[in-house]
Amino acid sequence: MFENSIPIPEIVPRNNKYNLHKMVEGESFSIDFEPEAVQRLRVAICNYGRRNNKQFVTRKVEEDGDWKLRVWRQV
């Protein structure tokens, strides 16, 4: 039988590991600089940006004496 008043659920992005879909322009986050993790993140960012027409910038930075990879959502 048919039912009324049941809301349609929101679309959940496939790649939800880094929550790139939640970033607004100017926001950033960092991860520990481990070569395998950095490579996976850069590939995920590149693919997500290409599919969704968004731009990101990554830089290796030193924070509190440790090397990190910082990711910014670009304007």
Side-chain angles (χ1 to χ4, degrees):
M1 194 46 68
F2 297 110
E3 298 178 58
N4 290 328
S5 304
I6 297 179
I8 299 172
E10 290 189 35
I11 295 174
V12 178
R14 289 183 322 174
N15 181 5
N16 206 11
K17 182 174 183 179
Y18 301 108
N19 291 321
L20 299 174
H21 64 285
K22 293 182 179 179
M23 288 183 77
V24 295
E25 296 172 352
E27 283 187 328
S28 69
F29 69 93
S30 66
I31 64 166
D32 291 333
F33 197 87
E34 298 172 10
E36 286 184 26
V38 165
Q39 182 64 23
R40 274 183 266 147
L41 176 57
R42 284 184 170 157
V43 169
I45 288 170
C46 182
N47 290 335
Y48 178 83
R50 192 177 308 127
R51 285 189 205 118
N52 296 284
N53 198 27
K54 296 181 181 178
Q55 293 183 345
F56 297 86
V57 175
T58 61
R59 296 287 187 270
K60 181 180 179 181
V61 295
E62 188 175 0
E63 296 178 359
D64 301 324
D66 294 327
W67 287 102
K68 306 263 184 186
L69 181 76
R70 183 158 287 279
V71 178
W72 288 268
R73 165 96 189 271
Q74 200 172 20
V75 177

